[in-house]
Amino acid sequence: MTDDPILSVSGLEKTFGGITALDGVDLTVDQGITGLIGPNGAGKTTFFNCITGYLAPDGGTVEFQGDDVTGNRTPSIVREGLVRTFQIPRELENMTVRENLLLAPGGQSGEKLGRAWLRGGQFAEDERRSRREAAEMAAFFELDHLLDEPAGSLSGGQRKLLELARVLLTEPEMVLLDEPLAGVNPTLERKILERIHELESQGQTFLFVEHDIELIMEHCDHVVVMHQGQKLTEGPPSAVRSDQRVIDAYLGEEI
């Protein structure tokens, strides 16, 4: 483990027509759980989109584990070990939970037709490994009793768990969580948070966007605040909570 940040973003810019969504954002993320907060329209989701290849930034740089990934396409960034979830889960509703999970692991011998033909034994071994890992991940998220159910039949909270399970099967170094608890009942919320902390204890890194500020303050090691496309401030939760600029940005909301 080094002292270098896992993610380093410098001067990130993005405009849509005449609207500036990101205005020179600088941000670094170290191992652990970092919270990213800000009022609606602060640029949080655009920031996620630009560093994970869903949008090309207009300026600035993104470095992940020391490699420049600025403007790379999403599959390339996923292979580097940087993945994300979405505010609205994107499971394949007509496929079972098991089938959704089996889509996640990469690097399987059967992914190319010629390789599957030449290495049939390896393909079968990879298939068994993928099924075992999918079952283990489902059990970790307490979805194992739903493996053969259509993903579309899951509750909103269960879909969030499925998406996180699917993301983790890519064996990422860092996960960007875009409102993973929105619309989730308190029982499943606790379950998701328990899983995140358990994964953090195993060395996983998270950048966590959530509107519930109290939750961010309680569960994150470090908090970054965005406002009007810029980084407003950052620091430990106790310092951010009492920062007058943050209070003003939230129009006097109790934080």
Side-chain angles (χ1 to χ4, degrees):
M1 179 178 174
T2 70
D3 293 330
D4 296 329
I6 292 176
L7 178 71
S8 180
V9 178
S10 179
L12 202 65
E13 300 177 354
K14 185 65 183 179
T15 60
F16 299 98
I19 299 174
T20 299
L22 298 176
D23 188 9
V25 177
D26 298 324
L27 184 150
T28 60
V29 177
D30 296 313
Q31 186 173 324
I33 304 176
T34 296
L36 180 62
I37 64 173
N40 288 330
K44 303 182 297 295
T45 296
T46 300
F47 178 77
F48 268 25
N49 286 337
C50 284
I51 64 178
T52 55
Y54 289 90
L55 289 173
D58 297 323
T61 59
V62 180
E63 290 188 0
F64 181 66
Q65 298 192 121
D67 294 330
D68 188 341
V69 298
T70 312
N72 288 3
R73 299 186 68 179
T74 300
S76 172
I77 292 174
V78 170
R79 285 192 294 271
E80 291 276 348
L82 178 60
V83 298
R84 65 166 296 180
T85 66
F86 291 86
Q87 292 179 18
I88 301 174
R90 298 186 174 189
E91 76 285 339
L92 298 173
E93 296 186 353
N94 294 324
M95 297 178 70
T96 66
V97 169
R98 188 191 311 274
E99 289 166 338
N100 269 269
L101 292 172
L102 287 171
L103 290 174
Q108 300 178 52
S109 298
E111 288 182 346
K112 294 184 178 179
L113 181 60
R115 188 177 297 173
W117 180 69
L118 291 170
R119 301 179 62 188
Q122 184 64 48
F123 171 71
E125 182 179 331
D126 286 346
E127 182 72 11
R128 286 192 294 271
R129 175 180 56 81
S130 294
R131 286 184 171 274
R132 182 178 67 253
E133 291 175 352
E136 290 172 352
M137 190 65 73
F140 180 77
F141 284 99
E142 300 182 24
L143 295 171
D144 43 326
H145 63 295
L146 299 169
L147 276 168
D148 296 314
E149 296 296 320
S153 70
L154 302 183
S155 70
Q158 290 169 334
R159 292 186 187 197
K160 299 269 188 172
L161 289 169
L162 174 59
E163 181 172 41
L164 186 52
R166 193 168 58 177
V167 159
L168 291 170
L169 280 168
T170 67
E171 299 182 351
E173 297 295 328
M174 179 176 174
V175 180
L176 280 62
L177 301 169
D178 195 354
E179 297 191 35
L181 305 177
V184 175
N185 69 53
T187 299
L188 281 174
E189 179 180 293
R190 286 193 299 272
K191 186 179 297 183
I192 292 172
L193 288 168
E194 287 171 1
R195 296 298 180 257
I196 289 170
H197 281 292
E198 186 171 347
L199 291 162
E200 179 198 15
S201 71
Q202 298 170 9
Q204 195 79 56
T205 296
F206 294 94
L207 181 59
F208 193 164
V209 167
E210 180 59 49
H211 277 298
D212 187 333
I213 299 174
E214 282 298 332
L215 186 147
I216 287 287
M217 297 298 175
E218 180 180 353
H219 292 278
C220 294
D221 310 306
H222 189 81
V223 179
V224 179
V225 185
M226 289 184 64
H227 183 52
Q228 297 181 346
Q230 298 179 324
K231 183 179 74 176
L232 181 64
T233 189
E234 64 178 310
S238 58
V240 169
R241 180 196 298 272
S242 60
D243 191 311
Q244 187 61 46
R245 293 171 297 173
V246 178
I247 296 170
D248 291 343
Y250 277 93
L251 302 177
E253 291 181 18
E254 182 180 348
I255 65 170

